[in-house]
Amino acid sequence: SHGEVGDAALRVLADAKAPMSRGDLFAAVMGQGLTIEGQDPEVVFSTMMWRERERVINRKGHGYWPADRPFEKAGYDPEDK
């Protein structure tokens, strides 16, 4: 489910010092033993991450990042919603 994938993405991002690209985050999440079905699993992953946008943001030009953590270099502050 996208909730499980979101949980896995947040575990990966918890240790990240900067936002991660879709490819890097996808590889790290798959490395946790999850399986994503579909013709193009990375595109399916992207859709799942979009559904998790309350928890994981995708900052254009930077990548995926936890929605509750500020990231100054990307100009992201969770308080500015």
Side-chain angles (χ1 to χ4, degrees):
S1 77
H2 65 84
E4 286 176 286
V5 172
D7 291 346
L10 285 169
R11 282 194 297 274
V12 170
L13 291 169
D15 296 327
K17 303 287 184 255
M20 293 177 72
S21 71
R22 181 179 79 179
D24 289 347
L25 185 57
F26 174 75
V29 167
M30 293 301 96
Q32 292 187 31
L34 289 176
T35 309
I36 294 177
E37 302 293 330
Q39 202 164 12
D40 187 338
E42 199 170 317
V43 171
V44 175
F45 173 76
S46 186
T47 302
M48 290 175 156
M49 288 291 89
W50 183 80
R51 290 183 180 138
E52 287 289 315
R53 63 195 178 281
E54 293 294 317
R55 300 195 301 155
V56 181
I57 62 155
N58 184 7
R59 197 73 169 169
K60 194 171 175 86
H62 293 276
Y64 290 94
W65 190 249
D68 61 354
R69 279 173 64 194
F71 188 71
E72 289 176 16
K73 287 182 193 160
Y76 176 70
D77 183 346
E79 302 303 314
D80 291 344
K81 286 193 173 174

